[in-house]
């Protein structure tokens, strides 16, 4: 008799498949397509929200622009908070951006001249013999009521926009005759610095010589740029501007608040075309900011500008000024 117990032959084991079952054919493609559609929809909604924000800004601008009426610089009565002498001393370096005549410049297939040919634009000020400080959004590529030139169906760059503009000085009414004085215009040779950030909206362009071969600063002088922010609430501010893109005017009021790189003021009347105007310290005449918004939403419906501290934090050109 065999003393060894009988054994059952081992049953072969089927290997366990740990891999995920294959997706049905085409499912991944369908999911990817659905994802792309959702991303495109989100991008479209984001663009619509941006447009709504712009419309709100413009609406607040229109509402706030009716509070006060700026006065012509040469017939100013001295009652807004700064003296007539102050305005006489500091109005010279303030100029106006203006588009060149664009006729014949955009004639290729897919080109569009837009509706800005020879259009008067924003305001600004000389801070050097050939350096002009203004608002960055004067060179943005999309506006609510205006269409910038397009090439091959695409809006031209901010740099090219600047090169299609000039800066004109002395566009103001003669105090004796009430007739606009003869302007003196200078070509823009380059967009040196540009920021359209909400808390640092500014630009600096380089100007060329006029027909007499002279730089604008040698004719109209320049403004001094403050070394630091003006933080004294209720301090007098003065804005010399081209409201409604017309002759140069002056307005003045009080500093309401300063926060996040923005100056707020609600008793200084501004209109479209005032963007880029220097905000002057009513005592020293120094540039303490650049006017950029009328009725700005983040500051609760008050006019506002980029504080000079925010500009200095970004600018390389202003460092030594």
């Amino acid at each position: 008799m065999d003393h060894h117990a009988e054994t059952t032959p081992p049953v072969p084991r089927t290997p366990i498949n740990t891999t995920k079952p294959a997706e049905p054919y085409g499912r991944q493609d369908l999911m990817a397509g659905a994802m792309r559609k959702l991303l495109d929809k989100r991008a479209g909604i984001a663009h619509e929200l941006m447009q709504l924000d712009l419309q709100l800004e413009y609406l607040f601008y229109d509402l706030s622009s009716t509070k006060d009426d700026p006065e012509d610089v040469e017939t100013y009565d001295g009652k807004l908070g700064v003296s007539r002498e102050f305005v006489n001393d500091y109005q010279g370096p303030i100029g106006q951006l203006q588009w060149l005549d664009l006729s014949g410049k955009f004639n290729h297939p897919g080109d569009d001249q837009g509706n800005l040919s020879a259009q008067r634009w924003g305001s600004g000020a000389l801070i050097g013999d050939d350096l002009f400080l203004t608002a960055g959004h004067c060179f943005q590529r999309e506006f609510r009521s205006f269409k910038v030139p397009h090439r091959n169906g695409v809006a031209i760059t901010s740099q090219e926009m600047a090169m299609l503009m000039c800066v004109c000085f002395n566009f103001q009414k003669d105090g004796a005759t009430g007739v606009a004085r003869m302007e003196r215009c200078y070509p823009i040779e380059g967009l040196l610095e540009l920021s359209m950030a909400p808390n640092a909206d500014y630009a600096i362009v380089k100007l060329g010589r006029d027909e007499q071969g002279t730089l604008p600063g040698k004719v109209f002088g320049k403004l001094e740029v403050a070394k630091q922010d003006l933080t004294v609430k209720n301090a007098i501010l003065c804005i010399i501007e081209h409201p409604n893109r017309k002759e140069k005017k002056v307005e003045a009021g009080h500093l309401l608040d300063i926060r996040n790189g923005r100056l707020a003021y609600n008793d200084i009347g501004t209109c479209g075309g005032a963007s880029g105007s220097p905000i002057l310290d009513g005592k020293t005449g120094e540039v303490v900011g650049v006017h950029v918004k009328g009725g700005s939403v983040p500051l609760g419906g008050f006019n506002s500008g980029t504080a000079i501290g925010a500009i200095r934090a970004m600018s390389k050109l202003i460092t030594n000024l």
Side-chain angles (χ1 to χ4, degrees), residues 200-240:
D201 183 343
Y202 85 99
I204 298 176
V205 298
K206 177 181 174 61
L207 302 184
R209 299 175 184 271
D210 62 12
E211 295 179 352
Q212 287 72 42
T214 308
L215 290 174
K218 299 298 184 183
V219 179
F220 298 99
K222 59 185 178 182
L223 299 180
E224 296 295 324
V225 180
K227 299 295 184 183
Q228 58 189 11
D229 282 333
L230 177 64
T231 59
V232 180
K233 292 186 179 182
N234 291 318
I236 295 295
L237 301 176
C238 176
I239 295 181
I240 300 176

Side-chain angles (χ1 to χ4, degrees), residues 10-212:
V11 177
R13 296 183 179 179
T14 302
I16 299 175
N17 184 1
T18 58
T19 61
K20 185 178 180 180
E23 292 282 355
Y25 178 77
R27 182 177 177 186
Q28 289 182 335
D29 291 337
L30 291 173
M31 292 175 65
M35 178 67 75
R36 282 193 296 270
K37 288 182 179 179
L38 288 174
L39 289 173
D40 289 343
K41 184 176 181 180
R42 186 177 72 171
I45 292 173
H47 180 74
E48 289 181 11
L49 286 173
M50 182 184 72
Q51 294 303 308
L52 287 172
D53 285 342
L54 284 174
Q55 291 180 36
L56 282 171
E57 292 283 9
Y58 279 107
L59 179 58
F60 276 111
Y61 208 156
D62 292 339
L63 289 173
S64 64
S65 68
T66 61
K67 291 180 179 178
D68 293 289
D69 293 323
E71 298 185 24
D72 289 296
V73 290
E74 295 192 30
T75 55
Y76 170 54
D77 62 12
K79 297 179 180 179
L80 293 175
V82 293
S83 67
R84 293 185 62 173
E85 291 74 21
F86 181 97
V87 176
N88 290 336
D89 288 343
Y90 296 110
Q91 62 88 11
I94 284 81
Q96 183 182 50
L97 290 164
Q98 183 172 359
W99 286 83
L100 303 177
D101 184 349
L102 303 179
S103 301
K105 294 184 182 295
F106 295 88
N107 292 331
H108 294 93
D111 289 357
D112 188 338
Q113 177 181 299
N115 60 357
L116 290 167
S117 182
Q119 172 71 51
R120 294 187 183 276
W121 209 227
S123 304
L126 287 166
I127 56 172
D129 285 343
D130 60 355
L131 298 180
F132 188 77
L133 175 66
T134 185
H137 72 264
C138 289
F139 305 98
Q140 70 185 44
R141 300 169 70 192
E142 187 173 350
F143 294 90
R144 182 170 65 97
S145 302
F146 299 102
K147 184 177 183 180
V148 305
H150 282 56
R151 185 172 283 110
N152 294 322
V154 179
I156 61 175
T157 65
S158 298
Q159 288 74 17
E160 189 171 357
M161 289 172 60
M163 299 293 285
L164 293 173
M165 298 183 197
C166 63
V167 175
C168 298
F169 297 89
N170 221 33
F171 179 45
Q172 59 201 60
K173 290 182 180 180
D174 184 309
T177 66
V179 178
R181 291 185 178 275
M182 181 70 69
E183 299 174 63
R184 196 158 175 174
C185 300
Y186 298 78
I188 293 180
E189 293 189 340
L191 179 57
L192 303 183
E193 291 186 352
L194 173 66
S195 172
M196 287 181 272
N199 297 327
D201 183 343
Y202 85 99
I204 298 176
V205 298
K206 177 181 174 61
L207 302 184
R209 299 175 184 271
D210 62 12
E211 295 179 352
Q212 287 72 42

